[in-house]
Amino acid sequence: MNKGFLEGKTALVFGVANKRSLAWAIAQAWSSEGASLVLGYQGERLRENAEELARSLPKPGKAIGCDVGEDAELDTFFAEVAREAPVVDLVLHSVAFAPKEALDHELSEVKRDDFLVSFDISVYSFLAIARRAKPLMTRGGLLLTLTYYGSEKVTPQYHIMGTAKAALEASVRYLAFELGPRGIRVNALSPGPVNTLAARGIPGFVQMLKHHQEKAPLRKLVEPAEVGAAAAFLASEGGSAITGQTIYLDGGYSILGA
Ligand code: NAD
Ligand code: 0WE
């Protein structure tokens, strides 16, 4: 097999729930370029699946449980990573959660507890991961997260998550500023709608997919493999001057004015 450009690199990937997860598409793309992967999965319920997926990567990796809402679990995860791989090069944060109660209500109805959980899991977790990855990223590298257009423009029903993604994108810029001198780049990918676990059950999601497909300049929906390919590009030489950016992978939908 040809030597991939990520041979000898270590990547941490948070947010693989199943084969449809965008994190899985990125894990596969990085792995097929030769990176060694560690998957952080949410909880016991996902363990068997995550372990099986890690084993099935082009370059078989491992899976470690990590609820990103728990500092103790993050500490254990990173301690285990540090034991196995003293240097980390790539980190993917592909995690978002708002309590159903909050996602289902307009912003002016959100309760404090639901706001705090939404921002804890969808925003703070990226900072919590950056804080722990930073000392291991001694060769520089890439911190990557996933966001959505609802951060920038009002998207019906995205509600509290729109404000969380706006905070996440601002965090990308501040982290890029802080970590740039260490050679650590920080970016976000912003795909158009994709039918994953996190999108299923959103009322009207199927119509939304159809609308995007018809309106986007490229007249197509983004495919998970394209999200993986973009993440591979950012991890490559081609991404080496890109930091602090939110990069749209939406067939051009976000450029439209009407
Ligand atoms: P997904 O459900 O496959 O991924 C979400 C992941 O978050 C799951 O793996 C879940 O286990 C994880 N997670 C939630 N709470 C967690 C916790 N406390 N600890 C650890 N992990 C936790 O769905 P997805 O669509 O692949 O979502 C991944 C990212 O992509 C999210 O940030 C989402 O906002 C973003 N995104 C999705 C779309 C879309 O249309 N699907 C579009 C743009 C951006
Ligand atoms: O970020 C998201 C969704 C993230 C998400 C999904 C759920 C469903 C289950 C966060 N929290 C929860 N909580 C649950 O209980 N996306 C980008 C996908 C998405 O969600 C939407 C979208 C799109 C696109 C909601 C409304 C409108 C569009």
Side-chain angles (χ1 to χ4, degrees):
M1 206 170 102
N2 283 335
K3 217 164 129 83
F5 62 79
L6 296 177
E7 208 69 52
K9 308 265 181 182
T10 295
L12 312 181
V13 168
F14 296 88
V16 175
N18 56 44
K19 285 190 173 179
R20 285 194 170 189
S21 297
L22 295 176
W24 177 240
I26 294 172
Q28 285 178 292
W30 284 352
S31 176
S32 66
E33 290 299 341
S36 298
L37 266 78
V38 180
L39 307 182
Y41 59 89
Q42 187 175 0
E44 209 43 39
R45 204 170 41 80
L46 293 175
R47 180 160 63 95
E48 244 181 272
N49 202 236
E51 283 176 351
E52 196 183 313
L53 287 173
R55 276 196 299 272
S56 78
L57 282 165
K59 176 168 186 162
K62 68 180 290 181
I64 304 175
C66 184
D67 182 327
V68 301
E70 300 290 338
D71 280 337
E73 294 202 19
L74 282 161
D75 288 340
T76 308
F77 176 92
F78 277 92
E80 200 161 325
V81 165
R83 234 189 350 262
E84 305 236 336
V87 181
V88 168
D89 302 284
L90 305 168
V91 181
L92 174 69
H93 170 270
S94 183
V95 171
F97 179 77
K100 189 172 163 33
E101 167 78 5
L103 204 55
D104 283 354
H105 285 88
E106 34 189 18
L107 195 58
S108 53
E109 290 295 334
V110 165
K111 297 193 184 88
R112 190 185 303 271
D113 281 1
D114 289 341
F115 175 91
L116 291 174
V117 170
S118 305
F119 274 63
D120 188 21
I121 305 304
S122 309
V123 187
Y124 181 73
S125 66
F126 187 50
L127 308 181
I129 287 166
R131 184 176 181 207
R132 290 166 176 83
K134 180 170 67 166
L136 299 174
M137 297 177 76
T138 49
R139 298 192 282 233
L142 172 68
L143 294 177
L144 186 63
T145 187
L146 286 176
T147 185
Y148 179 63
Y149 186 46
S151 63
E152 201 179 316
K153 294 284 189 263
V154 175
T155 306
Q157 299 179 72
Y158 202 53
H159 298 152
I160 182 71
M161 280 306 303
T163 67
K165 291 302 194 187
L168 181 67
E169 290 168 24
S171 301
V172 163
R173 292 185 284 272
Y174 279 86
L175 289 176
F177 177 79
E178 289 175 18
L179 302 178
R182 298 174 181 241
I184 300 173
R185 295 177 295 111
V186 188
N187 292 293
L189 293 176
S190 188
V194 183
N195 205 353
T196 63
L197 187 63
R200 215 170 309 151
I202 309 285
F205 194 75
V206 173
Q207 289 94 295
M208 191 178 165
L209 290 173
K210 185 167 175 278
H211 175 81
H212 270 253
Q213 174 150 19
E214 286 171 359
K215 298 294 172 203
L218 292 178
R219 302 285 191 272
K220 63 166 201 167
L221 295 167
V222 64
E223 285 174 26
E226 296 177 299
V227 180
F233 159 73
L234 280 179
S236 78
E237 187 65 23
S240 60
I242 303 177
T243 196
Q245 302 300 317
T246 294
I247 298 169
Y248 280 90
L249 309 173
D250 65 349
Y253 187 87
S254 60
I255 68 170
L256 298 174

